[in-house]
Amino acid sequence: MKELCNLYKMVFSIVIIVLTAFFVCPLLFGYTAYAIETNSMEPTIPTGSIVYIEKTSSQDLKLNDIITFERANKIITHRVVGIDDMNNQLTTKGDAIKYNDEEKISVTHVKGEVKYSIPLIGYGLMFLKSIEGTIMSIILIILYIISIVFPRKVGGHLYHENNK
């Protein structure tokens, strides 16, 4: 039982460290993380990748930049293929898509420019945002807190780490 409890605490600690490294630390440096849920940017950014974006002013955007923007309550990551300075609009296109996006986007809807991406890590973010992932996270956190706050009784004696 002691080994199982220690294993659980170790695994939980590793998960917290990984989540912090991939999702929290970038925030400290001004980046926001988004998961890529479709194949529209393949092969440049595969499905399941996580992209880190940095807020960029509209004057700094240029052709071929990969940007993340909001359209119809969806977050999309595509490449800039046209700039209309007069109307402050951008034409975008997914690398895997033959044609430009039908609708131009206003520069005010741009979340930022993609600075780097990491394949596969986005699947973890997508899972954490799902109902199942949220429920599982809450349960694991509660179990972890219980394992720390309430020591286990083993053989009629209070179990502590120091007991061998």
Side-chain angles (χ1 to χ4, degrees), residues 109-127:
H109 291 137
V110 175
K111 300 280 187 190
E113 181 183 355
V114 174
K115 292 300 181 179
Y116 57 99
S117 66
I118 303 173
L120 303 175
I121 301 299
Y123 286 120
L125 184 59
M126 286 186 270
F127 177 72

Side-chain angles (χ1 to χ4, degrees), residues 13-160:
S13 297
I14 290 170
V15 167
I16 294 298
I17 290 168
V18 168
L19 290 176
T20 301
F22 286 113
F23 303 120
V24 178
C25 286
L27 293 174
L28 300 174
F29 296 101
Y31 295 102
T32 306
Y34 292 99
I36 300 298
E37 299 181 19
T38 69
N39 66 348
S40 69
M41 282 303 293
E42 289 187 359
T44 310
I45 305 173
T47 305
S49 295
I50 190 166
V51 292
Y52 295 96
I53 65 160
E54 184 177 50
K55 188 72 178 151
T56 306
S57 72
S58 59
Q59 294 87 2
D60 293 335
L61 293 174
K62 53 193 175 308
L63 289 176
N64 289 318
D65 284 348
I66 298 174
I67 60 168
T68 298
F69 56 93
E70 186 172 355
R71 178 188 291 144
N73 295 322
K74 289 184 179 180
I75 302 297
I76 301 167
T77 298
H78 278 178
R79 187 177 300 279
V80 175
V81 294
I83 299 174
D84 179 354
D85 288 323
M86 186 81 91
N87 296 310
N88 285 328
Q89 292 183 325
L90 304 169
T91 302
T92 56
K93 176 185 168 308
D95 287 359
I97 301 171
K98 193 181 259 187
Y99 304 104
N100 294 348
D101 296 339
E102 289 181 26
E103 227 178 288
K104 289 185 177 185
I105 60 154
S106 168
V107 294
T108 58
H109 291 137
V110 175
K111 300 280 187 190
E113 181 183 355
V114 174
K115 292 300 181 179
Y116 57 99
S117 66
I118 303 173
L120 303 175
I121 301 299
Y123 286 120
L125 184 59
M126 286 186 270
F127 177 72
L128 288 174
K129 286 183 173 182
S130 72
I131 298 289
E132 298 86 359
T134 302
I135 291 169
M136 189 179 94
S137 297
I138 291 168
I139 290 169
L140 289 174
I141 290 168
I142 290 169
L143 288 174
Y144 186 73
I145 291 169
I146 288 171
S147 74
I148 291 173
V149 174
F150 300 104
R152 311 250 310 148
K153 266 194 160 187
V154 178
H157 299 285
L158 217 58
Y159 169 75
H160 291 284

